[in-house]
């Protein structure tokens, strides 16, 4: 037996080192995505990174072995080669798993040992796969040194890997590159130290004149390089695509959770943060601030929305600069802001409220103009004023309205006595959320043929089903909605509810009338909204829908009203003029308004038949309507005498407590069934 030594093909050695570093870079990049994803994507990145790392170790080893020229013929056992790849994959998987969870010193050591074991097992099992006419043993010093190099370099690489996952994006690439180079050093350093440890003895008869590097070896080496490079390219494309998708997802998430104008969190994000905080809060106190700018509407109306937007941005900047540690500020909409102050006592909240008011009161300078506004602040304390987000938000909002009521530019803490004698104020503060939360419901009041034997349809009436106060009549909250601008949203909600009910089979033969406010009627998006509802509810027969407007609404802008009425009638919708007769000035404009129905105001019906003046007025209205070929509805019919008089005047329809009070939808369905049974016939189509 004679000892032999080999030489290396330098080109293949360099390529093997490059492949080791590239594989490490891409595999570590893939591994870093494990904690950023969930579900199957988490498993995908874990398995992909482990497999690519194992293939990187194997390809580096195999290319190095092919680059190693011995003066004897060498072949490889495919089974042992496969086994070496399996060991590399298992060791890499464990190391990456330990690195992807919270890193501790023990996990770092365990991960380093597993990664070192993956590299060394790959190498030495791969060496065992060599088949030659002789034997091989290893020098103990270099053998143990190679293992030590693999473990120490892996430890440094995994530590750098941990750091690059927790650094800012600007420095991540540097840590990632350093980690990949160190891992490449671990693979290459271990391999070539292990090769230095190898001592080969062969039979003298099998020794060739010089080391050989056959064309087959060259072709095999090139094939391995191409395959592994292609794998790396595909992996790189995969990570790059994922990175772009993740960036787009982050952008969409940012847009969904931040206010477009001020760039601070919006209502959605803030409410989620508040819920999370309250859920995980222990004994810590906190304060929730509601802030509303005073006189902002005047600035907006006088100087324009662009000016108002700039003012909101400057206010946001000032507020953001005074944020206490760990607090969260958000813009709820318009000129309303909210702030969560974790850990605050009442004294802390008082101090911050003073600072906020003083800061906002300092003049703003926009485009050379000096603008002065102030803010009203409401504060709810946690847990004194509640432990759920709904409670705390509501109470802070109420406190803010009280601050406005007491002269603005001040602050108020919520207290239980606040609720006493403040129901209108409370309702105003809750109305917006009531519309969004489904507390607004539709009630139906039957509309009868004046003969009393045929149900023509119903009028849709708005009711607020309050979780505490029960049913709130419209006289209490409609004026509040008109005052604070919620009336348009309220009208939209009613129209949506009416369309939803008209979709029901039981209502297919009934006419439905719904009242519309002045603000909604003259809103330039009103008709478009009706078209949208028609598209979303194609089965609804809109010829049975009647939009009611008051004569007060109609005469504010007769030309504008006539145009909107024409557009609605083109869609097939009927128009009714409600509360007719209150102002006879409207008679001058009636011929310009292409309405279908006149509804006689209940004030004239209430005193029939005793009041002769009301008799004359109602008779005149009916005569006028007949001449104009309009349908006539008498409102507020409550007695048989009133109904008889309406019948004598030949009014077409009547509604009032004589037939039924306004009913919830389920109650109205019961009423409808009872009416049909009583008259022993189905509703006649009209």
């Amino acid at each position: 037996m004679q000892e032999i030594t080999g030489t290396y093909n330098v080109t293949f050695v360099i390529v093997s080192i490059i492949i080791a570093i590239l594989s490490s870079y891409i595999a570590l990049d893939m591994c870093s995505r494990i904690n950023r994803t969930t579900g199957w994507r988490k498993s995908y990145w874990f398995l992909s990174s482990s497999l690519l790392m194992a293939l990187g170790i194997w390809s580096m080893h195999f290319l190095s072995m092919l680059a190693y020229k011995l003066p004897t013929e060498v072949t490889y056992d495919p089974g042992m080669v496969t086994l070496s790849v399996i060991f590399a994959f298992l060791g890499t998987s464990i190391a990456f798993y330990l690195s992807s969870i919270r890193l501790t010193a023990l996990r770092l050591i365990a991960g380093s040992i597993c990664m070192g074991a993956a590299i060394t097992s790959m190498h030495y099992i791969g060496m065992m796969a060599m088949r030659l006419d002789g034997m091989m043993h290893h020098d103990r010093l270099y053998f143990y040194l190679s293992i030590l190099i693999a473990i120490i370099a892996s430890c440094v690489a995994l530590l750098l890997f941990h750091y690059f996952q927790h650094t800012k994006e600007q420095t991540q690439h540097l840590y990632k590159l350093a980690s990949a180079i160190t891992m490449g050093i671990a693979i290459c350093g271990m391999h070539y130290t292990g090769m230095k440890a190898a001592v080969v003895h062969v039979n003298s008869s099998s020794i060739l004149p010089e080391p050989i590097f056959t064309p087959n070896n060259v072709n095999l080496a090139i094939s391995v390089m191409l395959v592994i490079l292609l794998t790396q390219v595909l992996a790189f494309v995969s990570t790059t695509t994922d990175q772009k998708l993740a960036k787009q997802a982050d952008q969409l998430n940012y847009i969904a959770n931040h206010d477009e104008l001020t760039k601070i969190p919006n209502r959605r994000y803030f409410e989620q943060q508040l819920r999370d905080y309250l859920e995980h809060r222990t004994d810590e106190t906190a304060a929730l601030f509601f802030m509303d700018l005073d006189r902002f509407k005047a600035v907006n109306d006088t100087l324009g929305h662009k000016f108002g937007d700039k003012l909101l941005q400057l206010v946001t900047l000032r507020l953001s600069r005074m944020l206490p540690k760990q607090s969260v500020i958000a813009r709820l909409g318009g000129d309303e802001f909210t702030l969560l102050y974790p850990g605050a006592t009442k004294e802390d909240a008082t101090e911050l409220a003073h600072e906020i008011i003083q800061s906002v009161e300092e003049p703003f300078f926009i485009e050379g103009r000096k603008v002065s506004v102030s803010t009203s602040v409401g504060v709810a304390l946690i847990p004194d004023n509640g432990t759920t987000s709904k409670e705390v938000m509501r109470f802070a909002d109420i406190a803010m309205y009280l601050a406005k009521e007491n002269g603005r530019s001040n602050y108020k803490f919520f207290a239980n006595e606040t609720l006493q004698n403040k129901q209108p104020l409370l309702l105003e503060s809750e109305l917006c959320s009531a519309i969004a939360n489904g507390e607004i419901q539709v009630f139906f009041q039957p509309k009868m043929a004046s003969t009393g034997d045929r149900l023509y349809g119903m009028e849709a009436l708005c009711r607020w089903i309050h979780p505490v106060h029960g049913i709130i009549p419209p006289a209490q909250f409609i004026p509040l909605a008109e005052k604070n601008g919620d009336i348009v949203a309220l009208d939209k909600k009613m129209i949506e509810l009416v369309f939803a009910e008209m979709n029901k089979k039981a209502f297919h033969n009934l006419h439905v009338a719904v009242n519309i406010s002045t603000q909604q009627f003259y809103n330039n998006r009103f008709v478009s909204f009706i078209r949208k509802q028609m598209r979303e509810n194609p089965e609804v027969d809109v010829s049975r829908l009647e939009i009611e407007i008051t004569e007060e609404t109609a005469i504010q802008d007769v030309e504008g009203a006539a145009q909107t009425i024409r557009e609605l009638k083109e869609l097939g919708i009927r128009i009714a003029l409600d509360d007719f007769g209150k102002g006879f000035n409207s008679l001058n404009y009636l011929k310009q308004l292409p309405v279908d129905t006149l509804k006689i105001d209940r004030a004239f019906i209430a005193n029939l038949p005793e009041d002769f003046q009301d008799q004359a007025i109602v008779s005149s209205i009916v005569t006028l309507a007949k001449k104009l070929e309009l349908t006539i509805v008498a409102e507020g019919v409550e007695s048989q005498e009133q109904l008889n008089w309406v019948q004598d005047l030949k009014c077409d329809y009547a509604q009032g407590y004589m037939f039924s009070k306004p009913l919830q939808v389920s109650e109205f369905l019961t009423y409808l069934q009872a009416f049909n049974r009583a008259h022993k016939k189905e509703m006649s189509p009209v």
Side-chain angles (χ1 to χ4, degrees), residues 409-439:
S409 191
N410 59 27
Y411 69 92
K412 283 286 182 183
F413 282 88
F414 178 82
N416 289 330
E417 55 268 21
T418 302
L419 295 174
Q420 298 175 4
N421 302 319
K422 295 293 182 184
Q423 185 167 339
L425 184 65
L426 300 184
L427 295 181
E428 185 175 353
S429 69
E430 294 177 328
L431 183 54
C432 183
S433 59
I435 296 170
N437 295 337
E439 295 174 19

Side-chain angles (χ1 to χ4, degrees), residues 384-596:
D384 295 354
N385 300 142
T387 55
T388 68
S389 60
K390 188 172 182 180
E391 285 178 334
V392 180
M393 293 275 283
R394 174 175 175 247
F395 292 149
D397 193 18
I398 291 170
M400 185 268 290
Y401 272 90
L402 285 173
K404 279 188 174 294
E405 192 180 60
N406 290 348
R408 304 173 185 266
S409 191
N410 59 27
Y411 69 92
K412 283 286 182 183
F413 282 88
F414 178 82
N416 289 330
E417 55 268 21
T418 302
L419 295 174
Q420 298 175 4
N421 302 319
K422 295 293 182 184
Q423 185 167 339
L425 184 65
L426 300 184
L427 295 181
E428 185 175 353
S429 69
E430 294 177 328
L431 183 54
C432 183
S433 59
I435 296 170
N437 295 337
E439 295 174 19
I440 300 301
Q441 293 187 16
V442 61
F443 277 46
F444 287 138
Q445 185 173 35
K447 188 185 295 183
M448 295 287 186
S450 59
T451 54
D453 61 350
R454 183 164 57 84
L455 182 59
Y456 170 76
M458 59 278 202
E459 181 178 357
L461 300 168
C462 184
R463 296 292 185 270
W464 182 355
I465 312 299
H466 195 282
V468 176
H469 306 297
I471 298 177
I472 299 177
Q476 289 189 29
F477 67 87
I478 293 296
L480 297 177
E482 291 174 339
K483 172 187 170 185
N484 64 19
D486 285 331
I487 190 66
V488 172
L490 191 63
D491 283 343
K492 284 185 175 181
K493 187 66 177 179
M494 280 296 293
I495 292 170
E496 289 173 354
L497 292 172
V498 165
F499 267 90
E501 297 302 332
M502 289 181 73
N503 252 328
K504 295 179 179 177
K505 186 176 180 181
F507 298 144
H508 279 187
N509 291 326
L510 297 174
H511 285 73
V512 183
V514 59
N515 291 277
I516 296 300
S517 67
T518 303
Q519 293 95 315
Q520 179 71 282
F521 186 71
Y522 288 111
N523 188 314
N524 55 16
R525 292 187 292 273
F526 172 53
V527 178
S528 298
F529 177 73
I530 295 292
R531 289 195 183 99
K532 178 174 177 288
Q533 293 302 309
M534 291 171 63
R535 288 193 300 270
E536 293 175 356
N537 301 274
E539 295 183 3
V540 170
D541 180 5
V542 292
S543 68
R544 297 187 179 275
L545 175 64
E546 192 167 67
I547 300 293
E548 293 188 4
I549 59 172
T550 64
E551 63 171 341
E552 183 182 356
T553 295
I555 65 175
Q556 283 192 19
D557 177 7
V558 177
E559 291 184 5
Q563 177 60 32
T564 301
I565 290 172
R566 281 192 290 270
E567 291 179 14
L568 291 170
K569 288 174 70 68
E570 286 174 3
L571 299 177
I573 297 170
R574 295 172 59 86
I575 307 297
L577 203 55
D578 196 13
D579 297 340
F580 191 80
K582 278 187 174 180
F584 269 87
N585 286 333
S586 59
L587 293 175
N588 298 324
Y589 305 112
L590 189 57
K591 63 181 181 181
Q592 301 177 45
L593 300 171
V595 299
D596 302 288

Side-chain angles (χ1 to χ4, degrees), residues 188-226:
C188 298
M190 181 274 139
H191 175 85
Y192 289 109
T193 304
M195 291 300 293
K196 180 70 175 176
V199 180
V200 181
H201 290 87
V202 297
N203 294 320
S204 301
S205 60
S206 66
I207 297 176
L208 299 173
E210 60 181 23
I212 61 170
F213 195 68
T214 65
N216 286 338
N217 283 358
V218 174
N219 292 336
L220 183 58
I222 292 173
S223 299
V224 170
M225 283 190 291
L226 290 176

Side-chain angles (χ1 to χ4, degrees), residues 38 141 151 202 253 269 297 454 568 614 620 632 641 672:
T38 56
L141 176 63
I151 293 174
V202 297
N253 185 59
Y269 179 83
K297 188 176 185 301
R454 183 164 57 84
L568 291 170
D614 285 347
S620 300
I632 309 164
E641 291 79 9
L672 180 61

Side-chain angles (χ1 to χ4, degrees), residues 106-135:
L106 185 61
R107 286 174 182 159
L108 177 62
I109 293 170
S112 304
I113 292 172
C114 288
M115 184 60 76
I119 298 169
T120 53
S121 63
M122 169 71 246
H123 174 81
Y124 287 111
I125 295 174
M127 294 290 285
M128 290 169 62
M130 293 177 66
R131 296 291 178 262
L132 47 77
D133 186 15
M135 59 183 294

Side-chain angles (χ1 to χ4, degrees), residues 256-303:
N257 290 304
H258 287 77
D259 177 56
E260 183 179 1
L261 177 66
T262 60
K263 310 305 179 189
I264 61 174
N266 57 16
R267 177 187 287 272
R268 177 179 179 274
Y269 179 83
F270 182 83
E271 289 180 346
Q272 184 59 53
Q273 290 292 104
L274 179 60
R275 284 193 293 269
D276 291 344
Y277 172 76
L278 293 172
E279 183 178 343
H280 297 99
R281 187 188 68 85
T282 52
D283 296 328
E284 183 181 64
T285 59
L288 184 72
F289 290 69
F290 253 62
M291 298 163 281
D292 182 90
L293 297 184
D294 306 321
R295 299 188 300 275
F296 175 75
K297 188 176 185 301
V299 173
N300 220 19
D301 293 345
T302 305
L303 302 176

